[in-house]
Amino acid sequence: MDVIHLLPDNVANQIAAGEVIQRPASCLKELVENSLDAGATRIQVLVRDAGRTVLQVIDNGCGMSESDARLAFERHATSKIRQAQDLFSLRTMGFRGEALPSICAVSQVEMQTRRAEDETGTLLEIHGSDVIRQEVCSCPVGTNIKVSNLFFNVPVRRKFLKTDQTELRNLLTEFYRIVLVYPKTHFTFVHNDEILLELPSGSEKQRIEAIFGNPSRNSFTANLVEISTDTELVSIRGFVSKPENTTRKAEQYFFVNGRYMRHPYFQKAVLTAYSGMLPGEYQPSFFIYFDISPEAIDVNIHPTKTEIKFADEQTIFQILMASVREALGKFTLAPQIDFDTRGSIDIPMPTNRPASAPQVTIDPNYNPFHTRESFANRQPSVKGWDQLYATPASPKQSVIYPDRMEPEVPQPAADGETLTADSLWQYADKYILMSGENGLWLINQHRAHVAVLYAQLSDQIRQDQGAMQQLLFPEVLHLPADEMVLIATLLPDLRAIGFDLEQLTPDSYSVQGIPSQLANQSALPVLQHILTEVRERGAGAREEWQHQIALALAESIAIPYGKHLSADERLHLVQSLLRLPQYRHTPDGKTIVSVLTDEEIGKRF
Ligand code: ADP
Ligand code: MG
């Protein structure tokens, strides 16, 4: 008996679907790309429950004839290539003829389509590869495909889907990658009857602004510089951040011949062009469009991969870097490196600047190289700050400290309780100096306060005990679509920490109450900072985003550099810091305490 047989088509399709359609976002990508290939100028995406229940794409493209409509769902049926050679001159997005059969294998599809030359259209209904219905219908020119109950027959796949918020964010990410290359096409994105994005036809710059601009902030594109280079090998156009407008979370997009691609090597070229201009971990945003002869790239045969190989990557690296450099060079920008953005403290060692001694009542017997005993039994004399700096006895946040940071910590010179106000100096309104066991301790005041506040806030958020202060005049926070999705995820925790937020319109929230620690600060930049941090760190589990919220809020309200601290403030800050189990580094690993050892000091004389 023969053992080899062909798989029934529906099985083969389900297997292929596993490759092509991994989640609603991949389905969206295939459908929208088909609409673009069909020459549509208007494309509407309607989504329900992040694409789980319904994912519908309506276009005004060329439509299909009755027989093509049916053929489109057959494997390797495509109108886009006829022979293998065609692959190399490919300018359309799809070409494998795999998407529609894969989609219908794992969902219930209903399609209406009509060409301009036909009087009537075709309606086709397919459930899991079985044609349920095919009939003549009346419908507008173009194609309307509705994909319902994705993975209804593949429970394992369904189980792999993340929360609606995550899947919706994936949908939007995929959508951005497409719509950024088709600014002339009018797109609409609707989720659960709410219009999340309305992108009218316009220029590339207008498209970028429409997506990433935020009405409550400065224009996004005003912070971009244009780049443009034409060589025989490649033409490169696009926009990159002005160096002073880099952020920790940046929007970074490469496109080649109208397709999104990831390209770490070219990303490096861009970053290299900024070298010396970027503070610490800051990143530029960029939107860079390559145009290159299709023969010079390896078309990504794999449907879901976004990496593309170029024939001459080193040369393009150079061209790209030079192009970005040139654009940046048009702005004479003296890079300003902010202390806060750097990974570790650079102590400005020999300097003529006096420590701010006048603020300290100097004990005539004061010896800056005190030993531990010198502090013994002196009691802090001031009250009031305790509350602000109060921390729970044993914060449970140690998980987030990288292990490697713990062993290098020298023992504290004094436990917080035995310190006194006049044993602490403030230097440059930035550091607190104190005598420690191994030498002179330099404590970064802002970071110290971040760590102290973080311990307090992360406890409040976990225990839902944030102190809220009602605002007399609510503030309005406008957000782009993806941040609206994000903030919805974070709402319970934002409330737990003391924000009172109410959705106002599909793209805004009203802020009615703020954590009491925020006092008179505007809540908007703080919320913005929180959203940026969570988005950038890609927080997955709830604990992670709680951590990000607490940290971002702590960073926003911690005492800034340049603030002069009274003796009592210094004392209470240091005491609270030393009470933390991890006081050497902030929760995100920045140095708080740097020790100038006795030995190092000795060597200077
Ligand atoms: P591919 O895009 O790789 O050719 P698909 O399975 O995505 O394969 O689509 C199969 C064919 O169906 C396409 O080649 C095209 O002819 C037709 N088609 C799909 N979607 C549309 C649409 N929105 N408008 C017009 N034709 C379409
Ligand atoms: Mg396709």
Side-chain angles (χ1 to χ4, degrees):
M1 200 177 106
D2 292 340
V3 287
I4 297 181
H5 56 89
L6 286 173
L7 287 172
D9 259 3
N10 60 343
V11 178
N13 285 342
Q14 268 200 25
I15 294 171
E19 289 236 310
V20 188
I21 307 298
Q22 291 156 335
R23 46 181 9 99
S26 31
C27 184
L28 172 86
K29 168 176 184 281
E30 295 293 339
L31 294 178
V32 174
E33 287 184 349
N34 278 348
S35 297
L36 288 164
D37 286 345
T41 57
R42 258 193 113 95
I43 298 174
Q44 263 181 289
V45 176
L46 310 176
V47 179
R48 202 159 277 289
D49 306 322
R52 244 178 256 275
T53 336
V54 177
L55 219 162
Q56 185 170 14
V57 176
I58 306 171
D59 70 51
N60 64 352
C62 65
M64 285 173 259
S65 71
E66 192 189 337
S67 52
D68 278 355
R70 184 65 185 267
L71 249 181
F73 289 91
E74 298 292 329
R75 240 154 110 65
H76 303 303
T78 175
S79 54
K80 296 165 197 172
I81 54 169
R82 290 195 181 272
Q83 40 192 346
Q85 247 165 299
D86 292 353
L87 274 174
F88 295 99
S89 50
L90 213 62
R91 293 270 177 177
T92 52
M93 314 224 26
F95 54 82
R96 299 166 312 269
E98 268 180 337
L100 290 186
S102 301
I103 291 170
C104 77
V106 293
S107 68
Q108 296 157 347
V109 174
E110 190 182 320
M111 175 173 87
Q112 293 182 20
T113 185
R114 178 161 81 86
R115 300 184 301 179
E117 62 262 43
D118 297 332
E119 298 243 302
T120 55
T122 306
L123 184 151
L124 200 61
E125 203 177 333
I126 302 179
H127 289 189
S129 296
D130 297 328
V131 178
I132 304 285
R133 189 151 71 114
Q134 173 163 9
E135 56 199 47
V136 171
C137 73
S138 87
C139 61
V141 171
T143 304
N144 178 340
I145 295 196
K146 182 174 172 189
V147 175
S148 306
N149 305 320
L150 192 63
F151 303 133
F152 79 102
N153 52 357
V154 199
V156 186
R157 278 268 160 207
R158 221 172 37 230
K159 245 181 36 206
F160 272 124
L161 294 182
K162 305 263 167 54
T163 61
D164 274 12
Q165 261 103 10
T166 306
E167 293 301 339
L168 181 55
R169 255 189 294 152
N170 289 334
L171 283 170
L172 286 168
T173 302
E174 203 63 68
F175 191 65
Y176 291 169
R177 292 174 179 179
I178 301 174
V179 300
L180 280 168
V181 235
Y182 290 89
K184 298 275 175 275
T185 311
H186 184 138
F187 288 95
T188 316
F189 189 108
V190 179
H191 183 243
N192 292 346
D193 302 320
E194 243 178 49
I195 299 180
L196 294 191
L197 284 164
E198 179 77 63
L199 306 171
S201 166
S203 66
E204 269 155 4
K205 209 168 181 179
Q206 286 166 329
R207 179 59 47 99
I208 294 171
E209 186 65 47
I211 297 172
F212 301 107
N214 178 334
S216 59
R217 272 181 288 175
N218 292 339
S219 143
F220 182 84
T221 46
N223 295 329
L224 299 178
V225 188
E226 198 161 344
I227 64 164
S228 172
T229 303
D230 250 313
T231 67
E232 264 178 32
L233 176 62
V234 64
S235 118
I236 302 174
R237 296 170 307 102
F239 307 92
V240 301
S241 297
K242 295 179 187 166
E244 77 269 28
N245 287 303
T246 54
T247 51
R248 291 220 214 127
K249 157 71 187 163
E251 304 295 344
Q252 303 189 331
Y253 293 86
F254 283 128
F255 304 98
V256 58
N257 295 352
R259 231 178 247 263
Y260 170 82
M261 70 163 176
R262 255 173 48 79
H263 209 297
Y265 183 59
F266 290 168
Q267 185 198 27
K268 200 150 170 240
V270 177
L271 296 183
T272 312
Y274 280 86
S275 61
M277 301 185 207
L278 292 184
E281 57 211 62
Y282 276 38
Q283 290 270 329
S285 286
F286 58 77
F287 304 85
I288 296 177
Y289 303 80
F290 296 82
D291 215 324
I292 189 161
S293 155
E295 286 91 55
I297 53 173
D298 183 359
V299 176
N300 66 341
I301 296 291
H302 194 280
T304 55
K305 284 230 171 85
T306 48
E307 274 91 2
I308 292 185
K309 282 219 73 69
F310 287 64
D312 201 348
E313 301 203 325
Q314 266 131 327
T315 313
I316 298 177
F317 182 102
Q318 297 299 335
I319 299 173
L320 175 61
M321 189 177 76
S323 171
V324 175
R325 270 237 170 102
E326 192 206 323
L328 296 179
K330 289 182 187 148
F331 295 77
T332 23
L333 300 145
Q336 288 225 329
I337 300 186
D338 180 6
F339 179 90
D340 193 33
T341 62
R342 312 198 38 176
S344 64
I345 300 180
D346 283 343
I347 303 298
M349 273 314 307
T351 155
N352 302 325
R353 204 145 148 215
S356 53
Q359 273 78 35
V360 183
T361 329
I362 299 182
D363 178 335
N365 302 318
Y366 183 71
N367 167 1
F369 300 107
H370 267 316
T371 55
R372 181 179 192 123
E373 289 68 41
S374 326
F375 292 112
N377 302 325
R378 297 212 207 155
Q379 288 304 313
S381 49
V382 193
K383 296 191 182 80
W385 276 70
D386 296 80
Q387 217 187 341
L388 181 56
Y389 290 126
T391 50
S394 61
K396 295 158 270 182
Q397 86 273 37
S398 54
V399 259
I400 52 163
Y401 289 90
D403 291 344
R404 63 183 168 79
M405 291 178 175
E406 291 170 23
E408 50 166 300
V409 181
Q411 283 309 299
D415 59 44
E417 312 313 320
T418 58
L419 282 173
T420 58
D422 57 6
S423 56
L424 302 167
W425 282 21
Q426 188 180 20
Y427 174 71
D429 286 349
K430 224 173 177 182
Y431 311 106
I432 295 171
L433 274 49
M434 77 177 219
S435 166
E437 191 170 74
N438 294 330
L440 177 62
W441 284 37
L442 302 117
I443 301 173
N444 180 311
Q445 67 183 46
H446 172 74
R447 291 179 184 173
H449 200 192
V450 167
V452 168
L453 288 168
Y454 170 84
Q456 191 184 21
L457 290 167
S458 57
D459 252 39
Q460 289 181 353
I461 198 168
R462 272 194 301 262
Q463 294 161 13
D464 198 357
Q465 284 176 344
M468 202 234 298
Q469 175 191 328
Q470 285 291 337
L471 289 181
L472 214 48
F473 304 103
E475 295 188 272
V476 178
L477 177 70
H478 291 276
L479 294 173
D482 60 337
E483 291 191 356
M484 283 301 285
V485 175
L486 183 59
I487 199 170
T489 318
L490 305 182
L491 264 188
D493 292 308
L494 289 172
R495 290 193 174 125
I497 210 162
F499 284 103
D500 183 7
L501 298 166
E502 210 63 64
Q503 185 164 358
L504 205 60
T505 64
D507 68 352
S508 67
Y509 271 83
S510 99
V511 185
Q512 291 155 349
I514 57 171
S516 57
Q517 296 95 329
L518 264 181
N520 304 325
Q521 277 189 61
S522 163
L524 302 186
V526 177
L527 282 164
Q528 202 61 63
H529 180 54
I530 291 176
L531 291 174
T532 309
E533 288 297 299
V534 176
R535 208 160 63 125
E536 170 210 345
R537 317 267 168 180
R542 180 159 185 198
E543 274 173 15
E544 272 173 62
W545 76 62
Q546 286 181 334
H547 157 67
Q548 293 302 347
I549 292 174
L551 182 60
L553 186 56
E555 281 169 352
S556 301
I557 59 188
I559 44 168
Y561 300 120
K563 168 138 172 51
H564 178 69
L565 301 180
S566 72
D568 303 332
E569 289 170 336
R570 291 198 286 274
L571 176 65
H572 287 273
L573 176 56
V574 172
Q575 283 181 329
S576 314
L577 178 71
L578 296 183
R579 257 180 242 138
L580 301 178
Q582 309 281 349
Y583 56 83
R584 278 267 293 197
H585 294 93
T586 59
D588 54 343
K590 291 180 193 150
T591 307
I592 298 174
V593 181
S594 177
V595 180
L596 189 56
T597 61
D598 290 347
E599 208 185 2
E600 281 171 276
I601 297 169
K603 273 195 203 139
R604 294 178 174 270
F605 301 98

